[in-house]
Amino acid sequence: MLTTKEIFDRYQEVRSRFPAVNTTSKTLDIDSLLDISDDIDAFIFDAFGVLNVGETLIPEADIRLDQLRERGCAIRILTNAASYDRGGAIAKFERLGVRVKDDEIITSREATLQHIGDANWGVICADSDALIDLPASVIRLGYRAEDYDAVDKFLFLSTANWTTQNQELLVASMKRNSRPLLIGNADLAAPRDDGFSVEPGHFGHLIADLFPDQVQFFGKPFPEVYDLIESSLPGVQLERIAMCGDTLHTDILGAAARGWRTVLVTQDGLFAGHDTKVFSEQSGLFADWRLARI
């Protein structure tokens, strides 16, 4: 089982692949997002660790979103989850009890698929993923080495069925013939009900260690998802957008690199049970504001 320190340390190790950023040097503690709602026109929410932990809604997160809407603030959910298409994302939040409109959700999968061209793709995905938003020419990768060698490019969407043996098959195929690998979820890990799950970014960075020029990451902190958010908020000044997330290297770094304001949420996500000041000082990544829950 991964620990907070292991995840943080790995983010530090691969940080040279992230956008360059200078954050504020001091974080102000607040009690709720209502405290800063007069200064912010659009609140952007990470999902895991902020709105939900695994399949469990964080208490009153849905109420806070409604309250912010009532105050005239735009709401967007920006998730690195790539295991399901837009319909699946909307259905998930409906199951959690979060009232969300179609245009309020942006996923790293959407950003990834904008860069899918004509090719024979080898796809790493969940069995439940119908892949209806992908081109027709795809092979679901499993335990057949010949399938890995047969494709032109790789697309990594989910770790649901991914094992060490699968990773070894991918590495071996890349060594025989290195090809582009698109990582649809840049996260190393995500908070679940029973600990942290290992996400596609973890395996993607292992491949990037070996083939640095062949791997492209999508989702926070990489720019494509922020382009989608900003295009959905015409006329909103960047300094009046606030990203609310639980992870320094994805949520805070990525948003600060765009000129957004940032809110670190601490109680339920990556840093649950830890003093985030220690990690901010070590990484030099400070959010504008910090609170336990939104």
Side-chain angles (χ1 to χ4, degrees), residues 36-221:
I36 60 172
S37 60
D38 289 341
D39 300 315
I40 300 299
D41 293 328
F43 285 93
I44 319 301
F45 294 93
D46 180 30
F48 282 81
V50 177
L51 302 178
N52 59 285
V53 175
E55 297 301 315
T56 303
L57 179 70
I58 292 174
E60 300 187 1
D62 55 331
I63 296 174
R64 182 67 76 232
L65 266 59
D66 286 340
Q67 291 172 332
L68 292 170
R69 290 188 187 96
E70 290 170 1
R71 294 193 176 200
C73 299
I75 299 296
R76 296 291 184 272
I77 298 174
L78 176 54
T79 174
N80 275 3
S83 296
Y84 33 74
D85 59 19
R86 166 171 286 276
I90 294 171
K92 173 184 176 176
F93 288 108
E94 289 178 346
R95 289 195 303 272
L96 289 170
V98 177
R99 291 166 289 280
V100 60
K101 300 176 182 177
D102 179 78
D103 63 356
E104 290 180 330
I105 296 179
I106 302 291
T107 73
S108 60
R109 180 170 175 139
E110 293 174 69
T112 310
L113 296 187
Q114 288 189 345
H115 293 76
I116 296 291
D118 291 334
N120 185 23
W121 288 91
V123 182
I124 301 160
C125 59
D127 289 339
S128 58
D129 190 341
L131 303 181
I132 58 175
D133 51 351
L134 266 67
S137 182
V138 299
I139 296 176
R140 293 175 182 263
L141 297 179
Y143 292 98
R144 288 164 44 92
E146 54 267 35
D147 288 342
Y148 292 78
D149 290 341
V151 302
D152 303 318
K153 300 179 181 181
F154 300 102
L155 174 62
F156 204 139
L157 297 175
S158 173
T159 58
N161 303 313
W162 200 242
T163 66
T164 300
Q165 183 179 350
N166 294 127
Q167 183 77 359
E168 290 172 351
L169 287 169
L170 176 58
V171 170
S173 184
M174 288 284 285
K175 287 180 177 178
R176 289 189 291 270
N177 176 21
S178 64
R179 286 146 289 166
L181 167 64
L182 276 59
I183 304 297
N185 175 353
D187 286 346
L188 298 182
R192 306 281 179 173
D193 298 299
D194 57 351
F196 297 108
S197 60
V198 178
E199 298 299 318
H202 168 82
F203 295 103
H205 282 291
L206 292 176
I207 299 292
D209 291 342
L210 300 172
F211 307 95
D213 297 329
Q214 294 287 15
V215 183
Q216 184 174 4
F217 295 89
F218 293 90
K220 299 166 291 180

Side-chain angles (χ1 to χ4, degrees), residues 204-267:
H205 282 291
L206 292 176
I207 299 292
D209 291 342
L210 300 172
F211 307 95
D213 297 329
Q214 294 287 15
V215 183
Q216 184 174 4
F217 295 89
F218 293 90
K220 299 166 291 180
F222 298 94
E224 293 82 5
V225 288
Y226 302 99
D227 292 338
L228 292 176
I229 289 287
E230 290 172 12
S231 66
S232 78
L233 297 168
V236 178
Q237 298 176 5
L238 298 181
E239 64 271 19
R240 293 188 65 85
I241 301 175
M243 178 74 216
C244 307
D246 70 306
T247 307
L248 290 170
H249 292 89
T250 58
D251 302 310
I252 305 307
L253 184 155
R258 301 293 291 207
W260 299 3
R261 310 298 295 280
T262 55
V263 182
L264 183 62
V265 185
T266 63
Q267 183 168 328

